[in-house]
Amino acid sequence: MPKAIINTDRAPQAIGTYSQAVKAGHTVYLSGQIPLVPDTMEMVSDDFAAQAQQVFKNVSAVCEAAGGSTQDLVKVNIFLTDLSNFATVNEIMSQYFVEPYPARAAIGVAELPKGAQIEIDGVMELPE
């Protein structure tokens, strides 16, 4: 099955040897997004809520570039440097998703790229 590389200037450009997303058939694998502002490639803020909002905006932009939306995500992984921020993640996530929600994991990590406090990746299944 051929794969297609997904790229959009509405999300941060890759800062390493990866693509923003890869589509194989109807499945799209999204690389991790951190809270970089696409136009400046700088961290949006030191504030956790602002970082979480920016990450969901970035994830949404990649989903749209692939021909879907966050509602097509079937699995989401959320990496946090401080798990006490999870209530804020739930609040912000509710602005981007409606039921049925995707499967999700929340993983506490020691560090993320560029000092980010949150990173999100996922798998999206596009409608046929």
Side-chain angles (χ1 to χ4, degrees):
M1 166 179 334
K3 63 182 179 181
I5 302 304
I6 307 301
N7 188 41
T8 178
D9 60 2
R10 293 183 45 236
Q13 296 306 302
I15 54 175
T17 54
Y18 63 93
S19 301
Q20 289 173 330
V22 177
K23 179 180 174 188
H26 295 284
T27 304
V28 180
Y29 301 90
L30 284 77
S31 291
Q33 288 291 323
I34 60 174
L36 296 177
V37 176
D39 292 339
T40 65
M41 292 296 289
E42 298 292 329
M43 199 67 60
V44 66
S45 169
D46 288 335
D47 176 69
F48 178 79
Q51 287 197 15
Q53 280 283 358
Q54 187 64 51
V55 169
F56 279 109
K57 287 178 189 175
N58 294 345
V59 167
S60 294
V62 175
C63 288
E64 290 168 12
S69 74
T70 55
Q71 225 28 61
D72 297 310
L73 286 164
V74 295
K75 176 68 165 102
V76 175
N77 293 310
I78 302 173
F79 303 91
L80 300 164
T81 58
D82 183 349
L83 288 173
S84 71
N85 286 318
F86 201 71
T88 302
V89 170
N90 276 333
E91 180 183 320
I92 293 169
M93 189 171 171
S94 71
Q95 299 168 22
Y96 292 87
F97 294 85
V98 295
E99 290 188 51
Y101 300 124
R104 179 179 77 181
I107 303 118
V109 297
E111 191 175 4
L112 290 167
K114 295 197 170 269
Q117 298 175 60
I118 181 172
E119 180 173 356
I120 297 176
D121 71 10
V123 177
M124 182 169 66
E125 190 67 23
L126 295 173
E128 294 185 33

